[in-house]
Amino acid sequence: KNEVEQSPQNLTAQEGEFITINCSYSVGISALHWLQQHPGGGIVSLFMLSSGKKKHGRLIATINIQEKHSSLHITASHPRDSAVYICAVESLMYSGGGADGLTFGKGTHLIIQP
Amino acid sequence: DGGITQSPKYLFRKEGQNVTLSCEQNLNHDAMYWYRQDPGQGLRLIYYSQIVNDFQKGDIAEGYSVSREKKESFPLTVTSAQKNPTAFYLCASSIPAGLIYGYTFGSGTRLTVV
């Protein structure tokens, strides 16, 4: 089964700082998702990537397929960015996936202080 | 726009009562999934269905039941046999197409049993 590691587990930063959250996986994938979950709230899909880079507002996601690594960046961070960020990878079917082919990271808990 | 609807977002029930969580998708996806999230832990697979009228247990199926009578709907019942039902529940769907899963996520339901 694909192993997904996120780092850091917890991150506290000051408003305005540039934030980077990392996700590494062990087996080839077809896609990688970045999800956001505010405290006590629901899940919001931020990005789905299979290659390269995507940008939405102050959020940027990159993926390096050869290195099996993805990063989520937040520019000009704001207290409303405080949330848990979850990486989820879709393993290539019949290769490295569980019954559902999807493996979640444990999440990165981000706190942005004013 | 196509997507997955989970309702309600927050649900409260008394201990010993069965409760059914709704998940509806209009993406024409064949496969649907239910995950559970406990505080500080990653998401774990409860049940999945790859086709109508068929479903399989995931990693933590005990105390749960599902049905898949329609392609669009995959309700999850949390029974009184589930010892710790308070958790966040996430529904997802996928195509799959060829070797690719192509996941879409709902926003989740937070269940509190008192």
Side-chain angles (χ1 to χ4, degrees), chain A residues 9 20 43 58 64-65 93 95-96 104 112:
Chain A
Q9 284 186 300
T20 295
I43 293 280
R58 295 180 294 106
N64 186 317
I65 297 295
M93 202 171 284
S95 171
F104 293 91
I112 304 296

Side-chain angles (χ1 to χ4, degrees), chain B residues 15-64:
Chain B
E15 193 173 347
Q17 289 182 335
N18 290 357
V19 59
T20 298
L21 280 59
S22 168
C23 178
E24 303 278 333
Q25 55 101 357
N26 60 2
L27 301 161
N28 201 33
H29 283 180
D30 287 317
M32 297 186 74
Y33 313 82
W34 276 105
Y35 298 91
R36 170 183 170 134
Q37 182 191 50
D38 292 288
Q41 295 192 32
L43 287 141
R44 295 178 289 169
L45 181 65
I46 305 172
Y47 266 100
Y48 65 103
S49 167
Q50 294 178 324
I51 197 167
V52 174
N53 292 323
D54 185 58
F55 48 83
Q56 306 294 330
K57 292 181 179 180
D59 301 321
I60 53 166
E62 186 174 349
Y64 299 98

Side-chain angles (χ1 to χ4, degrees), chain B:
Chain B
D1 285 342
I4 297 179
T5 301
Q6 287 190 247
S7 59
K9 290 191 186 303
Y10 300 94
L11 189 55
F12 296 87
R13 278 294 183 270
K14 290 186 178 178
E15 193 173 347
Q17 289 182 335
N18 290 357
V19 59
T20 298
L21 280 59
S22 168
C23 178
E24 303 278 333
Q25 55 101 357
N26 60 2
L27 301 161
N28 201 33
H29 283 180
D30 287 317
M32 297 186 74
Y33 313 82
W34 276 105
Y35 298 91
R36 170 183 170 134
Q37 182 191 50
D38 292 288
Q41 295 192 32
L43 287 141
R44 295 178 289 169
L45 181 65
I46 305 172
Y47 266 100
Y48 65 103
S49 167
Q50 294 178 324
I51 197 167
V52 174
N53 292 323
D54 185 58
F55 48 83
Q56 306 294 330
K57 292 181 179 180
D59 301 321
I60 53 166
E62 186 174 349
Y64 299 98
S65 66
V66 293
S67 63
R68 187 83 187 280
E69 296 176 3
K70 299 186 298 181
K71 190 175 188 177
E72 303 79 16
S73 178
F74 191 40
L76 174 75
T77 297
V78 185
T79 74
S80 56
Q82 167 51 235
K83 294 178 182 175
N84 297 296
T86 294
F88 177 79
Y89 293 88
L90 181 67
C91 178
S93 69
S94 71
I95 308 171
L99 295 176
I100 308 300
Y101 285 94
Y103 272 83
T104 300
F105 298 97
S107 58
T109 292
R110 197 165 292 276
L111 172 66
T112 302
V113 175
V114 296

